[in-house]
Amino acid sequence: MSPDTKNADQQQLAHNVWSRYMTEVYFFKKPSPLTTFSVDKIEQLAREKLKDNLNAFMYVFGSAGTSLGCAGNLEELAKWKILPRMLRDATVRNLDTTLFGVKYKSPLIVAPVGVQGIMHEDAEIATATAAGKVGVPYVMSTAATRSLEDVAEANGSGTRWYQLYWPVDDDITLSLLKRAKASGYTNLIVTLDTMLLGWRPHDLDRPYLPFLHGVGSQVGLSDPVFMKKHGLEPILEPPEFPYDPEDIERRCKEGDQKMITRVRMAVEWLKQTNSGTFKSWEQLKLLRDNWDGPLILKGILSVQDAELAMEYGVNGIVVSNHGGRQVDSVVPSLWALQKIMASPKIQAAQASGKLTVLFDSGIRTGSDIIKAMALGAQGVLIARPFMYGLAVGGQVGVEQVLRMTLADLEITLGLTGYTNLQDIQGKGEEIVVRIGDATKL
């Protein structure tokens, strides 16, 4: 092989995300912070890493009730099988995806996951930094352990969206929107299925609810409008790591006024965001009138709600059951996606660009992303896997989970016989087929 041929081959390899990644791993022997590329093994590593703080792991791992909702997501994804095509030009040229009129390098989105500070001391700062470096959108949770402003700074020139747990008081809601916009968050995701927390035996048995101690309340505690209602200045200090509920209770009993104030205000914040006060479709007008970017509803599972979203001026939906964390025996998100995408109204709105459909709950691999996109999703959110990467390796752990997911997606897309995601998006049974009980195959 001549030097010119070798260089040309190397340049061709460099065009592919997976090739660059595989080259780093196999040829340059760069150390892997997680020591494995198995999603299941990374989850096991996170459990081991947090063995002295198992409550934190179980908070992320756990689901509502008997965990049938979480299991159902994985089972439904497993029942769908990819149908590869052969002898085609399947050199993957890119994973480019357009969402809300903006072109992204891939369909992958870092889901809004709260209380990251129980998993690693760098918390949301690590995840936002990793997302910025990899080049995928980062969605900031209202239940974060860092402020909107600090996370925006960590994300730098990256793309960031803000996920709203909708407060009871409108003036607090408007303050959060103002802060998000000022900090460069471009899209607003409104989570609808957590107006109160689900029945979660994993947390109740211990008991374990970080929010009660001001861990995961930092967006609220740093908000000037919310704090002024209680005659206080914003609290900007992040919570300590590791989260130790017994130590916090002890400090409160010993009269630590700073901690007493934080805990008291955390309870007040919960009254705003998880009070059991349910919103109505008509109340979306407040958000639509005060947010000039894309407005997205997360937690949509029924065709009726998807169609209603369009009627109320919503730009996108996230088909999601919150990873099975809110309602036991809830329908699998992928099942809901199929039903929603069968609606002629949704199909027409998606085709015209009026509505963008995103998918969440159960994504573990690149093949999972292909399944969701073939069934109609335009973008896909990943959650628990990056949280396990965070626990084990901090920022570099999150980076590896994101990069290996993209590498898996690109490899599998090419092996399926397609050059880009537009070839598979919404093509249904041309790409994937559902085969009964996957455990019997």
Side-chain angles (χ1 to χ4, degrees), residues 91-102:
T91 302
V92 176
R93 292 171 176 83
N94 60 66
L95 298 177
D96 290 353
T97 304
T98 299
L99 304 173
F100 308 102
V102 177

PDB file of all heavy atoms in Angstrom, residues 91-102:
ATOM      1  N   THR A  91     -22.214   3.019   3.319  1.00  0.00           N
ATOM      2  CA  THR A  91     -21.199   3.797   4.020  1.00  0.00           C
ATOM      3  C   THR A  91     -21.889   4.954   4.736  1.00  0.00           C
ATOM      4  O   THR A  91     -22.447   5.847   4.094  1.00  0.00           O
ATOM      5  CB  THR A  91     -20.154   4.356   3.043  1.00  0.00           C
ATOM      6  OG1 THR A  91     -19.555   3.268   2.332  1.00  0.00           O
ATOM      7  CG2 THR A  91     -19.090   5.134   3.792  1.00  0.00           C
ATOM      8  N   VAL A  92     -21.876   4.925   6.029  1.00  0.00           N
ATOM      9  CA  VAL A  92     -22.572   5.960   6.794  1.00  0.00           C
ATOM     10  C   VAL A  92     -21.828   7.277   6.641  1.00  0.00           C
ATOM     11  O   VAL A  92     -20.654   7.386   6.982  1.00  0.00           O
ATOM     12  CB  VAL A  92     -22.685   5.575   8.278  1.00  0.00           C
ATOM     13  CG1 VAL A  92     -23.334   6.704   9.068  1.00  0.00           C
ATOM     14  CG2 VAL A  92     -23.501   4.293   8.427  1.00  0.00           C
ATOM     15  N   ARG A  93     -22.510   8.254   6.101  1.00  0.00           N
ATOM     16  CA  ARG A  93     -21.875   9.547   5.843  1.00  0.00           C
ATOM     17  C   ARG A  93     -22.043  10.516   7.002  1.00  0.00           C
ATOM     18  O   ARG A  93     -21.192  11.352   7.241  1.00  0.00           O
ATOM     19  CB  ARG A  93     -22.435  10.130   4.542  1.00  0.00           C
ATOM     20  CG  ARG A  93     -22.003   9.302   3.330  1.00  0.00           C
ATOM     21  CD  ARG A  93     -22.696   9.709   2.047  1.00  0.00           C
ATOM     22  NE  ARG A  93     -22.170   8.951   0.914  1.00  0.00           N
ATOM     23  CZ  ARG A  93     -22.566   7.731   0.591  1.00  0.00           C
ATOM     24  NH1 ARG A  93     -23.499   7.138   1.315  1.00  0.00           N
ATOM     25  NH2 ARG A  93     -22.040   7.091  -0.427  1.00  0.00           N
ATOM     26  N   ASN A  94     -23.143  10.415   7.716  1.00  0.00           N
ATOM     27  CA  ASN A  94     -23.343  11.267   8.893  1.00  0.00           C
ATOM     28  C   ASN A  94     -24.562  10.790   9.661  1.00  0.00           C
ATOM     29  O   ASN A  94     -25.331   9.956   9.178  1.00  0.00           O
ATOM     30  CB  ASN A  94     -23.507  12.737   8.488  1.00  0.00           C
ATOM     31  CG  ASN A  94     -24.701  12.949   7.574  1.00  0.00           C
ATOM     32  OD1 ASN A  94     -25.848  12.773   7.985  1.00  0.00           O
ATOM     33  ND2 ASN A  94     -24.440  13.334   6.331  1.00  0.00           N
ATOM     34  N   LEU A  95     -24.694  11.315  10.855  1.00  0.00           N
ATOM     35  CA  LEU A  95     -25.877  11.059  11.688  1.00  0.00           C
ATOM     36  C   LEU A  95     -26.709  12.327  11.828  1.00  0.00           C
ATOM     37  O   LEU A  95     -27.488  12.471  12.771  1.00  0.00           O
ATOM     38  CB  LEU A  95     -25.446  10.558  13.076  1.00  0.00           C
ATOM     39  CG  LEU A  95     -24.676   9.243  13.133  1.00  0.00           C
ATOM     40  CD1 LEU A  95     -24.257   8.932  14.563  1.00  0.00           C
ATOM     41  CD2 LEU A  95     -25.499   8.096  12.568  1.00  0.00           C
ATOM     42  N   ASP A  96     -26.527  13.257  10.888  1.00  0.00           N
ATOM     43  CA  ASP A  96     -27.174  14.565  10.982  1.00  0.00           C
ATOM     44  C   ASP A  96     -28.680  14.431  11.176  1.00  0.00           C
ATOM     45  O   ASP A  96     -29.342  13.594  10.550  1.00  0.00           O
ATOM     46  CB  ASP A  96     -26.909  15.390   9.723  1.00  0.00           C
ATOM     47  CG  ASP A  96     -25.460  15.833   9.631  1.00  0.00           C
ATOM     48  OD1 ASP A  96     -24.714  15.610  10.593  1.00  0.00           O
ATOM     49  OD2 ASP A  96     -25.081  16.390   8.584  1.00  0.00           O
ATOM     50  N   THR A  97     -29.187  15.279  12.059  1.00  0.00           N
ATOM     51  CA  THR A  97     -30.613  15.276  12.388  1.00  0.00           C
ATOM     52  C   THR A  97     -31.078  16.716  12.531  1.00  0.00           C
ATOM     53  O   THR A  97     -30.395  17.533  13.152  1.00  0.00           O
ATOM     54  CB  THR A  97     -30.852  14.541  13.723  1.00  0.00           C
ATOM     55  OG1 THR A  97     -30.297  13.222  13.638  1.00  0.00           O
ATOM     56  CG2 THR A  97     -32.324  14.445  14.044  1.00  0.00           C
ATOM     57  N   THR A  98     -32.231  17.027  11.976  1.00  0.00           N
ATOM     58  CA  THR A  98     -32.789  18.370  12.119  1.00  0.00           C
ATOM     59  C   THR A  98     -33.962  18.324  13.091  1.00  0.00           C
ATOM     60  O   THR A  98     -34.914  17.569  12.896  1.00  0.00           O
ATOM     61  CB  THR A  98     -33.251  18.921  10.758  1.00  0.00           C
ATOM     62  OG1 THR A  98     -32.120  19.001   9.883  1.00  0.00           O
ATOM     63  CG2 THR A  98     -33.869  20.303  10.917  1.00  0.00           C
ATOM     64  N   LEU A  99     -33.863  19.125  14.141  1.00  0.00           N
ATOM     65  CA  LEU A  99     -34.908  19.218  15.153  1.00  0.00           C
ATOM     66  C   LEU A  99     -35.294  20.678  15.335  1.00  0.00           C
ATOM     67  O   LEU A  99     -34.430  21.516  15.584  1.00  0.00           O
ATOM     68  CB  LEU A  99     -34.425  18.636  16.492  1.00  0.00           C
ATOM     69  CG  LEU A  99     -33.924  17.187  16.485  1.00  0.00           C
ATOM     70  CD1 LEU A  99     -33.313  16.827  17.839  1.00  0.00           C
ATOM     71  CD2 LEU A  99     -35.069  16.237  16.152  1.00  0.00           C
ATOM     72  N   PHE A 100     -36.578  20.968  15.170  1.00  0.00           N
ATOM     73  CA  PHE A 100     -37.079  22.332  15.340  1.00  0.00           C
ATOM     74  C   PHE A 100     -36.326  23.319  14.445  1.00  0.00           C
ATOM     75  O   PHE A 100     -36.011  24.447  14.840  1.00  0.00           O
ATOM     76  CB  PHE A 100     -36.982  22.759  16.808  1.00  0.00           C
ATOM     77  CG  PHE A 100     -37.623  21.788  17.755  1.00  0.00           C
ATOM     78  CD1 PHE A 100     -36.849  20.902  18.502  1.00  0.00           C
ATOM     79  CD2 PHE A 100     -39.001  21.730  17.885  1.00  0.00           C
ATOM     80  CE1 PHE A 100     -37.436  19.994  19.360  1.00  0.00           C
ATOM     81  CE2 PHE A 100     -39.598  20.812  18.750  1.00  0.00           C
ATOM     82  CZ  PHE A 100     -38.824  19.942  19.482  1.00  0.00           C
ATOM     83  N   GLY A 101     -36.000  22.854  13.247  1.00  0.00           N
ATOM     84  CA  GLY A 101     -35.340  23.710  12.279  1.00  0.00           C
ATOM     85  C   GLY A 101     -33.857  23.897  12.482  1.00  0.00           C
ATOM     86  O   GLY A 101     -33.224  24.668  11.755  1.00  0.00           O
ATOM     87  N   VAL A 102     -33.266  23.188  13.443  1.00  0.00           N
ATOM     88  CA  VAL A 102     -31.841  23.309  13.733  1.00  0.00           C
ATOM     89  C   VAL A 102     -31.167  21.978  13.412  1.00  0.00           C
ATOM     90  O   VAL A 102     -31.661  20.912  13.793  1.00  0.00           O
ATOM     91  CB  VAL A 102     -31.591  23.681  15.210  1.00  0.00           C
ATOM     92  CG1 VAL A 102     -30.101  23.726  15.510  1.00  0.00           C
ATOM     93  CG2 VAL A 102     -32.247  25.016  15.534  1.00  0.00           C
TER      94      VAL A 102
END
